[in-house]
Amino acid sequence: MAFTPLHDRVLVRRVESDEKTKGGLIIPDSAKEKPAEGEVIAVGEGARKDSGELIAPAVSAGDRILFGKWSGTEITLDGEELLIMKESDILGIIA
């Protein structure tokens, strides 16, 4: 993929959640919420301080992350739906 986010932005692919509950109930597509979990595809070079010094991003490509429900902007790249968001929208990294 020939796309590199600028500054402190991150390109994320949503990870689909399970279609069944723990009790075994199947969740229909109309009742599903968009997952707030994803995989980082690409990362920008990082933000800059007022002095011009570069702040390296805390995430890297391949990390599994959690992000806010309404975070980011949905884009379609090479026929795949992805999210682009600022690094500050990321809540945490899943180990």
Side-chain angles (χ1 to χ4, degrees):
M1 182 177 308
F3 181 82
T4 303
L6 295 176
H7 309 296
D8 64 338
R9 288 183 172 75
V10 179
L11 187 66
V12 176
R13 176 186 301 126
R14 287 187 193 267
V15 176
E16 294 300 321
S17 58
D18 293 335
E19 294 185 6
K20 288 186 180 182
T21 64
K22 290 181 182 177
L25 298 174
I26 297 174
I27 302 170
D29 289 337
S30 60
K32 284 185 187 176
E33 291 186 12
K34 290 186 178 180
E37 184 178 328
E39 179 184 355
V40 176
I41 304 301
V43 181
E45 64 181 10
R48 294 212 179 259
K49 293 182 182 179
D50 291 335
S51 63
E53 184 181 343
L54 188 66
I55 302 170
V59 296
S60 58
D63 286 348
R64 288 181 66 96
I65 59 166
L66 288 176
F67 50 87
K69 186 181 257 189
W70 306 108
S71 298
T73 303
E74 293 182 350
I75 62 169
T76 303
L77 196 61
D78 295 336
E80 184 177 12
E81 289 197 17
L82 303 169
L83 283 172
I84 189 163
M85 64 181 69
K86 289 184 126 316
E87 186 183 22
S88 60
D89 292 338
I90 297 172
L91 303 174
I93 300 172
I94 300 171

